[in-house]
Amino acid sequence: MKRGREDRTMIHAFGWDRAFHCFSPSPLPPVSPSHRHPVSPSPRLPHSTSAWRIFCAIEIPQDIRSQLQDHIRRLDQAVPQNEASWTRPENIHLTLKFFGNVAQDKIPKVSQAMARAVEGLAAFRFRLAGTGAFPKHGSPRVLWIGVEDSHERLAALQQRLEEQCEKEGFPKETRPFHPHLTIARLRKPQGARELANLHQSTAFEGVETSVLELLLFRSESSSAGSKYTVISRHPFSNVP
């Protein structure tokens, strides 16, 4: 792998040097030559028993986020009595794998698995279209925007990611992969059915977007809502 490729796939540890005064910028030793797909070294993390909540996702461009924000605003205004927790536009991502809480010293293994998962892959496009709610029956709890994966490129990428993560000790997801964008979580039943019906009857104009890289995020909860921070980026091979 070329050096430029290695630089792009290294972990970007935002704030780690401030959070841990024992942080060292020195990389981990190179990956064993027995690996079929070499990966770039990762920064050394301090040994810690605490864990970070992390997930792997595809970023959604700003122009599409603006369309999603308009859709959310129309729903919120039409059903003001709703008890929805709306996803902030900057937090809307297409999640491929949710890890939950992972010990900090194991996070580089996730990043290395992601690097191998995108190795040799070309960028591709998928389409956002359609609206829906989970579950189909009973009180709805999640509102989502659909993802059309007609050539199953997303499904193949997700499967490849699962396989590489399993090699690093992270179990595969047992549920079928149904790509979607979550725009709201309905915490209470008041107004939930009305809101879900309106959402499903409101057309969301289909739009295409490209998959250029995989991102690893840290999720932090607070009274102001969830905060997502990029830990590492993994561009596809043909992306400059």
Side-chain angles (χ1 to χ4, degrees):
M1 186 182 299
K2 294 181 179 180
R3 181 63 185 175
R5 166 74 175 166
E6 294 176 346
D7 290 341
R8 292 195 301 270
T9 58
M10 287 183 64
I11 287 181
H12 298 280
F14 298 122
W16 280 341
D17 55 335
R18 295 188 299 273
F20 304 101
H21 55 268
C22 59
F23 171 81
S24 169
S26 302
L28 290 173
V31 178
S32 169
S34 62
H35 283 265
R36 183 177 180 181
H37 299 290
V39 295
S40 60
S42 303
R44 187 183 303 278
L45 298 179
H47 178 74
S48 174
T49 57
S50 62
W52 284 6
R53 190 177 179 87
I54 62 173
F55 64 94
C56 174
I58 294 168
E59 198 158 33
I60 302 300
Q62 180 57 46
D63 58 336
I64 297 179
R65 289 181 183 177
S66 296
Q67 289 181 244
L68 294 169
Q69 186 174 24
D70 290 340
H71 181 79
I72 290 172
R73 186 182 299 112
R74 289 195 297 269
L75 294 177
D76 194 29
Q77 292 175 349
V79 188
Q81 72 275 19
N82 73 78
E83 295 287 343
S85 176
W86 300 102
T87 305
R88 296 202 302 265
E90 64 271 20
N91 283 352
I92 297 178
H93 303 91
L94 175 55
T95 300
L96 294 189
K97 185 172 179 63
F98 178 75
F99 294 89
N101 292 324
V102 174
Q104 292 169 21
D105 57 0
K106 292 185 178 180
I107 291 177
K109 293 182 178 293
V110 178
S111 185
Q112 290 168 356
M114 292 171 63
R116 294 195 302 271
V118 303
E119 184 69 28
L121 294 185
F124 62 91
R125 298 179 68 80
F126 65 90
R127 182 178 175 84
L128 298 173
T131 56
F134 294 142
K136 291 183 178 180
H137 307 291
S139 180
R141 295 191 294 273
V142 172
L143 303 184
W144 51 264
I145 300 294
V147 174
E148 295 180 357
D149 185 24
S150 57
H151 298 291
E152 298 188 348
R153 300 287 299 278
L154 276 173
L157 174 60
Q158 189 268 347
Q159 180 62 30
R160 190 166 174 170
L161 175 65
E162 289 283 1
E163 291 171 353
Q164 294 301 327
C165 288
E166 186 178 39
K167 292 178 181 179
E168 297 292 351
F170 299 95
K172 284 186 176 181
E173 174 60 63
T174 57
R175 294 172 296 182
F177 177 58
H178 296 298
H180 63 278
L181 304 182
T182 297
I183 64 168
R185 298 187 183 278
L186 311 183
R187 307 297 185 183
K188 298 180 181 179
Q190 291 87 346
R193 175 50 58 189
E194 181 183 0
L195 187 62
N197 289 341
L198 179 61
H199 168 62
Q200 291 177 275
S201 64
T202 302
F204 179 78
E205 184 178 354
V207 59
E208 282 196 346
T209 186
S210 296
V211 180
L212 304 177
E213 62 181 349
L214 289 185
L215 285 79
L216 184 61
F217 288 92
R218 179 189 181 188
S219 174
E220 300 174 86
S221 299
S222 70
S223 57
S226 297
K227 175 186 176 183
Y228 300 152
T229 303
V230 176
I231 298 176
S232 64
R233 295 178 177 270
H234 305 276
F236 287 4
S237 296
N238 66 333
V239 178

